[in-house]
C-alpha cells in the first residue's frame, strides 16, 4: 500500500531533484556571473545609449554565456534546462542583455540543437557557443506573428536541386542587425503523397555571408532598449539544400517546438528580476519615513511586498518544475507547462513592478533611478514568444480541456 501511495505522489508531485554534481557545477558559475553583472554591467548607460557596449559583449562571451545550452562536444557549457534557468535569474538583472542572450540560444540556434543534422551541429555550434557568431530567429513578418503558417517569405528550389533562393522580409528580429547566423522560415513548394504540389513552411540555416541580406536601422523601443531589434531583408539569398533544418516542408513544427521549448525560461528570468526589485523596494521602505513611521511599518506596504514575494516564489517554482520535466530522458512534451509559465510570469511581473512603483512613489517615476526601467523592460514579456492573447497560447490551454497535449502537425 505504501509503495503504491509513494508512486502516486511521485506522479502527482514530480518536483525535480538536482544532482550534487550538477549543483556543484552551477555554483561554480554563479559567483563569476553575479560579479560581472554587479561590477561590469552599466544598465543605465545601456538603456540610454540603446546599445550593449562591445566590451560588455566580450565579457559575456568570456564567461561562456553564449553557449550555455550547447553541448560540451561543440564547445558549449552543456547546461541542462534547470541550470540554464538558474543563470537566467542573474542575467535578467539587465533586460537588454537577457534578451540578446535568449534570442541567440533560446530561439536563434535552438533549431540546430533540436532538429539539426550532425554535420550542421559540427559546422555551426562551435562558433555560436563561443559568441564568435551570434544567432537570430526570423519568423515574424508584417502580416504574420504567432500565426507562422501565414508567412509570405519564399524559398524557391534551384533547377539543379542543390540550393534555394530566399526572398522576403522579417520584422522585429532580435539580434537582427548583429547576427551572423539566421534561422529563417519560408514557404516552399512540396509534392505530397498524392502528387499534388502544396506550399509548406521550411526552416533554413542562413549565413549572412551568403549575400543578399540587409537589415534596417535598430528599432527605437519602449524597453529592452540596448538589445538590437530590426527588420531583416532577404533578396535572392542562395541557401544550400544541406542547410534545411529537419525536413523540407517541416518548418512549422520546428518553429513551434523552438518556441515551446523557450517559453519556460521567462519564469526564472521574471523571478530573478522581481527578487532584485523586492530587495531594492524593501530597502527603500525600511528607510523612508512618513507620519513618523517607516513605510515598512504600514500594513498596506507590507501587503504589497508580501504579494511580490509570493508571486516570485510561484514563478520560480513553476519555472524549475517545468525545467526539471524538460530535463527528463527523451523529449517530453512540456508545451502546456511552458505556456503556463509564460502567461503567469509575464502577467504577474507586470503587476508586481507596478506595485513596487506604488511603494516607491515619485522616486519610481524618475529616470535617475532604475525602477522605471524595470517597468518598461517587463512590458515586453507579455508580447514575447507569442502574446498572451495569441491563439497559439490559448490553444495550448484548450488542449488541457481536450485531455491531450498540444500537438503540432
Amino acid at each position: 500500500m505504501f509503495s503504491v501511495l509513494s508512486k502516486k505522489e511521485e506522479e502527482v508531485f514530480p518536483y525535480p531533484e538536482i544532482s550534487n554534481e550538477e549543483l556543484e557545477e552551477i555554483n561554480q558559475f554563479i559567483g563569476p556571473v553575479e560579479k560581472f553583472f554587479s561590477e561590469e554591467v552599466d544598465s543605465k548607460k545601456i538603456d540610454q545609449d540603446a546599445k550593449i557596449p562591445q566590451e560588455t559583449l566580450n565579457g559575456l562571451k568570456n564567461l561562456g554565456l553564449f553557449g550555455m545550452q550547447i553541448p560540451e562536444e561543440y564547445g558549449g557549457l552543456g547546461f541542462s534546462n534547470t541550470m540554464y534557468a538558474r543563470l537566467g535569474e542573474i542575467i535578467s538583472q539587465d533586460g537588454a542583455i537577457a534578451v540578446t542572450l535568449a534570442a541567440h540560444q533560446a530561439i536563434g540556434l535552438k533549431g540546430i540543437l533540436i532538429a539539426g543534422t550532425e554535420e550542421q551541429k559540427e559546422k555551426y555550434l562551435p562558433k555560436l557557443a563561443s559568441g564568435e557568431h551570434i544567432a537570430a530567429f526570423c519568423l515574424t513578418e508584417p502580416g504574420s506573428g504567432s500565426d507562422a503558417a501565414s508567412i509570405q517569405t519564399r524559398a524557391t528550389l534551384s533547377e539543379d536541386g542543390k540550393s534555394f533562393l530566399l526572398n522576403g522580409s522579417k520584422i522585429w528580429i532580435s539580434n537582427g542587425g548583429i547576427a551572423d547566423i539566421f534561422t529563417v522560415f519560408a514557404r516552399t513548394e512540396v509534392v505530397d503523397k498524392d502528387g499534388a504540389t502544396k506550399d509548406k513552411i521550411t526552416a533554413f540555416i542562413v549565413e549572412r555571408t551568403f549575400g543578399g541580406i540587409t537589415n534596417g536601422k535598430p528599432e527605437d523601443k519602449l524597453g529592452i532598449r540596448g538589445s538590437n531589434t530590426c527588420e531583416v531583408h532577404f533578396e535572392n539569398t542562395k541557401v544550400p539544400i544541406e542547410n534545411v533544418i529537419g525536413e523540407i516542408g517541416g518548418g512549422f513544427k520546428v518553429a513551434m517546438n523552438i518556441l515551446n521549448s523557450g517559453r519556460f525560461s521567462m519564469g526564472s528570468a521574471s523571478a530573478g528580476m522581481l527578487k532584485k526589485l523586492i530587495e531594492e523596494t524593501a530597502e527603500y521602505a525600511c528607510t523612508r519615513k512618513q507620519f513618523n513611521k517607516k513605510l515598512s511599518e504600514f500594513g498596506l506596504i507590507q501587503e504589497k511586498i508580501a504579494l511580490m514575494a509570493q508571486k516570485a516564489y510561484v514563478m520560480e517554482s513553476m519555472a524549475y518544475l517545468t525545467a526539471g520535466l524538460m530535463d527528463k530522458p527523451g523529449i517530453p512534451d512540456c508545451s502546456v507547462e511552458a505556456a503556463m509559465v509564460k502567461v503567469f510570469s509575464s502577467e504577474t511581473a507586470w503587476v508586481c513592478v507596478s506595485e513596487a512603483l506604488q511603494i516607491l512613489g515619485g522616486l519610481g517615476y524618475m529616470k535617475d533611478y532604475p525602477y522605471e526601467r524595470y517597468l518598461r523592460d517587463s512590458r515586453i514579456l507579455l508580447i514575447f514568444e507569442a502574446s498572451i492573447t495569441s491563439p497559439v497560447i490559448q490553444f495550448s490551454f484548450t488542449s488541457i480541456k481536450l485531455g491531450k497535449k498540444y500537438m503540432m502537425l
Side-chain angles (χ1 to χ4, degrees), residues 346-397:
S346 59
E347 287 187 330
T348 304
W350 178 248
V351 171
C352 288
V353 173
S354 180
E355 291 282 26
L357 260 68
Q358 287 300 115
I359 296 172
L360 294 159
L363 198 72
Y365 206 70
M366 300 298 124
K367 280 190 173 289
D368 287 339
Y369 300 91
Y371 313 114
E372 57 86 30
R373 188 178 70 249
Y374 284 121
L375 186 76
R376 289 186 286 108
D377 285 353
S378 65
R379 187 60 182 85
I380 191 62
L381 296 173
L382 293 138
I383 300 170
F384 260 166
E385 297 186 21
S387 163
I388 60 170
T389 59
S390 161
V392 172
I393 294 292
Q394 297 304 318
F395 187 43
S396 292
F397 295 145

Side-chain angles (χ1 to χ4, degrees), residues 55-237:
E55 56 267 25
T56 303
L57 289 173
N58 290 340
L60 298 170
K61 294 174 185 179
N62 292 336
L63 287 167
L65 297 182
F66 277 85
M68 284 185 278
Q69 286 201 287
I70 295 176
E72 292 181 16
E73 58 262 39
Y74 304 113
L77 298 178
F79 282 178
S80 64
N81 289 296
T82 301
M83 296 167 75
Y84 176 66
R86 178 64 186 92
L87 277 187
E89 286 194 51
I90 305 168
I91 294 167
S92 67
Q93 291 180 25
D94 186 281
I97 291 177
V99 168
T100 299
L101 291 175
H104 169 74
Q105 58 202 317
I107 54 176
L109 60 81
K110 185 59 72 74
I112 302 174
L113 271 182
I114 66 177
T117 64
E118 186 58 35
E119 291 77 15
Q120 290 171 343
K121 292 176 181 178
E122 290 178 353
K123 181 177 181 180
Y124 291 109
L125 291 182
K127 288 186 177 181
L128 289 167
S130 68
E132 181 179 346
H133 284 172
I134 293 177
F137 180 81
C138 296
L139 177 65
T140 304
E141 298 184 1
S144 68
S146 302
D147 180 13
S150 68
I151 65 174
Q152 297 302 312
T153 295
R154 179 167 291 278
T156 306
L157 187 63
S158 62
E159 291 184 4
D160 60 10
K162 293 182 179 180
S163 62
F164 284 87
L165 278 184
L166 184 65
N167 285 278
S169 296
K170 303 291 184 177
I171 61 170
W172 303 327
I173 305 303
S174 295
N175 295 347
I178 61 175
D180 308 279
I181 306 296
F182 304 86
T183 296
V184 184
F185 297 87
R187 287 186 171 277
T188 53
E189 289 188 352
V190 177
V191 179
D192 64 16
K193 296 178 181 178
D194 301 326
T197 300
K198 294 183 178 179
D199 265 1
K200 288 194 173 183
I201 308 301
T202 299
F204 298 92
I205 304 169
V206 182
E207 301 177 27
R208 189 178 286 274
T209 56
F210 286 168
I213 302 175
T214 56
N215 51 264
K217 67 178 182 179
E219 300 287 357
D220 189 9
K221 305 186 295 293
L222 171 71
I224 55 167
R225 291 176 51 76
S227 64
N228 179 276
T229 308
C230 65
E231 295 182 7
V232 180
H233 308 283
F234 303 93
E235 185 175 357
N236 292 327
T237 301

Side-chain angles (χ1 to χ4, degrees), residues 223-348:
I224 55 167
R225 291 176 51 76
S227 64
N228 179 276
T229 308
C230 65
E231 295 182 7
V232 180
H233 308 283
F234 303 93
E235 185 175 357
N236 292 327
T237 301
K238 189 175 181 180
V239 184
I241 196 166
E242 55 266 27
N243 277 40
V244 169
I245 301 176
E247 300 177 351
I248 296 175
F252 185 66
K253 185 175 181 180
V254 171
M256 294 302 102
N257 285 339
I258 291 171
L259 292 172
N260 287 337
S261 68
R263 289 187 184 115
F264 86 95
S265 61
M266 284 195 192
S268 63
S270 298
M273 178 271 293
L274 187 52
K275 286 194 286 187
K276 181 68 173 176
L277 184 57
I278 291 170
E279 178 186 338
E280 295 173 346
T281 305
E283 182 179 350
Y284 174 79
C286 289
T287 56
R288 170 73 166 168
K289 282 190 173 183
Q290 290 289 283
F291 306 102
N292 296 319
K293 291 173 66 177
K294 294 177 181 178
L295 289 186
S296 59
E297 296 176 23
F298 289 92
L300 184 58
I301 301 300
Q302 294 172 357
E303 182 181 344
K304 289 181 182 296
I305 293 176
L307 173 69
M308 292 162 64
Q310 175 200 63
K311 298 301 184 183
Y313 178 73
V314 177
M315 282 183 203
E316 197 174 45
S317 299
M318 290 177 72
Y320 285 112
L321 172 58
T322 304
L325 294 174
M326 293 171 66
D327 284 334
K328 286 188 173 183
I331 308 176
D333 178 7
C334 296
S335 54
V336 172
E337 291 85 351
M340 288 178 178
V341 173
K342 184 264 193 297
V343 171
F344 179 83
S345 298
S346 59
E347 287 187 330
T348 304

